[in-house]
Amino acid sequence: EVVLGQTPFYAESGGQVGDTGWLHGPDGHVIVDDVQRIAGTVVHRGWVEEGRVARGETLRAVVDADRRDDIRRNHTATHLLHAALQEILGEHAQQRGSLVAPDRLRFDFAHLRSLEPEQLERIERRVNALVRADLPVLAHQTSMAEARAEGAMMLFGEKYGDVVRVVS
């Protein structure tokens, strides 16, 4: 386990898996295969591939960019799926959990009954249409009050600070 003063690695959170990659030091290399936030500290877990690393060394942290891009796409897909579910089933179709990994996503949601095949087909068509539209993903920071006024969705009773990040 390695703790850095600063890190470009994303720690597992909210159903999204953490980054993987490498830490390169003057005398060794670490393969990072898991990143967790433990008591507010980002912990990089892995194994020494070559040489050694020691406390106090400066390490170059390299995130596996291809894997992160796959995770990003699946993360965005969960938001597209959520939007399609609410559009087709109604606003009561609220996200209750998810798994966002590089090779798949799982989206848990509440609904009044099992989905009909026609509903599944409509949801799939809507998500695919949104993907094909290749809409830009934009983010900005604003106050909680302004985010609410913009219609931002806030999930799971999460605690948000005075300044929030809004993604469109």
Side-chain angles (χ1 to χ4, degrees):
E1 295 183 337
V2 177
V3 175
L4 303 172
Q6 294 182 322
T7 183
F9 284 82
Y10 178 84
E12 180 178 315
S13 179
Q16 182 170 317
V17 299
D19 281 329
T20 60
W22 306 269
L23 301 175
H24 300 286
D27 298 316
H29 306 284
V30 174
I31 293 177
V32 177
D33 66 359
D34 184 33
V35 183
Q36 298 287 323
R37 185 174 299 277
I38 300 171
T41 300
V42 176
V43 178
H44 308 75
R45 293 181 173 157
W47 66 93
V48 178
E49 177 183 39
E50 177 183 313
R52 65 170 191 79
V53 293
R55 180 185 301 251
E57 287 183 333
T58 298
L59 302 177
R60 184 169 56 92
V62 180
V63 172
D64 182 335
D66 290 338
R67 183 175 180 275
R68 179 185 274 181
D69 286 344
D70 289 340
I71 293 166
R72 272 185 174 143
R73 281 186 282 274
N74 283 338
H75 185 136
T76 299
T78 65
H79 292 284
L80 298 177
L81 178 55
H82 197 183
L85 287 166
Q86 290 198 329
E87 181 180 310
I88 293 163
L89 303 177
E91 289 190 18
H92 70 277
Q94 292 282 323
Q95 181 177 356
R96 295 292 184 245
S98 67
L99 168 69
V100 180
D103 58 336
R104 69 192 182 287
L105 67 87
R106 186 195 74 235
F107 189 89
D108 307 325
F109 66 99
H111 184 48
L112 307 173
R113 59 192 149 288
S114 297
L115 296 181
E116 300 294 329
E118 183 272 335
Q119 290 173 309
L120 286 170
E121 187 177 314
R122 285 181 60 206
I123 292 163
E124 182 178 355
R125 278 195 318 266
R126 182 63 180 137
V127 171
N128 284 332
L130 290 166
V131 169
R132 283 190 297 277
D134 196 23
L135 301 168
V137 177
L138 307 171
H140 69 279
Q141 291 191 347
T142 188
S143 69
M144 173 67 82
E146 183 60 32
R148 284 189 198 281
E150 292 175 18
M153 182 183 295
M154 298 169 204
L155 300 173
F156 311 119
E158 291 184 32
K159 294 182 179 167
Y160 297 94
D162 293 334
V163 175
V164 295
R165 184 170 172 258
V166 178
V167 180
S168 304

